[in-house]
Amino acid sequence: MALTGPPAAVPGREDPPDRRPAPPPSGGTREPAPPPLERHAGPGSAGTHNRLSTLLAVLAISPLIRLAALRYAVPSGLPSRGGCDACGAPIGLTRPWPALGPAARCGRCRARVGPPPGIVELVVLAAAVLLVVAGPSGGALPALIWWLGWTIPAILVDLAVHRLPDRLTLPAAAGTWLLLGVAALDADPGHWLRAVLGGTGLALFFASTALLLGRRGFGLGDAKLALSVGALLGWYGWPVLVFGLVLTFGLSALVSLGLLATRRANWSTHLPFGPFLLLGTTTALLLAT
């Protein structure tokens, strides 16, 4: 049976309140209620988490970098170092602590081994912070991370014994070229071609000075490191490559003049050029990108 009106009142019982919505005022329309606010995780929290993860991951490779610097920091022609020079205790990934930690001490005789205490961790931390805060974006970032992972121990070896071992510079170049080639699949292929030309040309220039000028020129280790340096700088353009070289040679000149002024070196002193390549390249990339 259809109802034609409100239900009749029952004697002795109060009428239920009218729950029907009030009609809108004349001439107006009823606006829908705003949807409830939803809480979303801010982009800052995800970005902070990613940055922290990247920082911890990069710092985790510090023992590997210290091991590489310890092993190859020997004069040319000698076998790689496998343990403590004082007591002969073996040092490797199976016995990493404390020799491969920040203390840099032999676990048997407590003698200092490898690079100075804390220097590897400080360099890796600085590189990680720069990559997270101001590192280049896009597909070239993995190539830069790979390059730093091999170049930092090579530079520590260069500072210790004035040589850049092939076991560090050649993997740095091969991996950098390969990762830049992968990045070129999603970018302009001209970037990779320019990187190849930049790396090859810079390496040939360094090698020619080593062959023509001998000790007064660059070393062959510098030429092999230039394979990856020229590729990284060339990826971003010829101006970046020139800018990186200007920074590299400028830093080298300033340090040389400072050492001459303080009588800590003379005109025949041979300075390792690898550290200047590292500083000039990273500075140019960070400023250009």
Side-chain angles (χ1 to χ4, degrees):
M1 180 177 62
L3 298 178
T4 58
V10 179
R13 181 182 299 178
E14 296 181 356
D15 294 338
D18 189 2
R19 300 182 181 272
R20 291 176 297 175
S26 59
T29 58
R30 183 178 181 84
E31 298 181 358
L37 297 177
E38 297 181 1
R39 295 183 178 180
H40 298 280
S45 59
T48 302
H49 178 71
N50 293 335
R51 291 180 178 181
L52 182 60
S53 300
T54 303
L55 190 63
L56 293 177
V58 174
L59 290 178
I61 68 172
S62 295
L64 295 175
I65 292 179
R66 183 173 285 278
L67 176 62
L70 179 150
R71 180 156 293 175
Y72 299 119
V74 294
S76 180
L78 294 182
S80 302
R81 181 183 290 109
C84 175
D85 291 335
C87 67
I91 298 174
L93 295 179
T94 57
R95 296 183 179 91
W97 305 106
L100 300 183
R105 296 284 177 180
C106 174
R108 180 187 297 175
C109 68
R110 306 301 299 175
R112 198 188 72 121
V113 292
I119 188 66
V120 174
E121 292 72 23
L122 181 62
V123 172
V124 174
L125 177 62
V129 171
L130 289 176
L131 287 175
V132 170
V133 174
S137 59
L141 181 59
L144 179 58
I145 294 175
W146 173 272
W147 181 76
L148 286 173
W150 290 93
T151 304
I152 289 176
I155 297 309
L156 295 173
V157 172
D158 198 17
L159 289 171
V161 294
H162 289 198
R163 79 182 188 97
L164 292 166
D166 294 346
R167 293 189 177 184
L168 297 176
T169 56
L170 293 182
T176 299
W177 284 36
L178 177 61
L179 291 173
L180 289 178
V182 173
L185 297 177
D186 295 329
D188 185 0
H191 290 323
W192 192 77
L193 178 60
R194 190 172 55 240
V196 171
L197 293 176
T200 304
L202 191 60
L204 289 176
F205 169 71
F206 277 53
S208 64
T209 63
L211 296 176
L212 296 176
L213 302 178
R215 186 173 176 81
R216 292 178 298 173
F218 298 103
L220 291 178
D222 298 323
K224 295 168 186 175
L225 181 59
L227 286 169
S228 52
V229 168
L232 281 171
L233 295 174
W235 172 270
Y236 291 99
W238 299 119
V240 178
L241 176 59
V242 174
F243 181 50
L245 293 179
V246 170
L247 285 177
T248 299
F249 286 104
L251 289 172
S252 176
L254 287 176
V255 172
S256 300
L257 291 175
L259 293 176
L260 289 172
T262 57
R263 298 183 183 277
R264 295 184 179 181
N266 52 48
W267 292 104
S268 61
T269 301
H270 179 72
L271 296 179
F273 197 69
F276 301 112
L277 280 173
L278 173 65
L279 292 174
T281 301
T282 53
T283 303
L285 291 178
L286 293 176
L287 292 179
T289 57

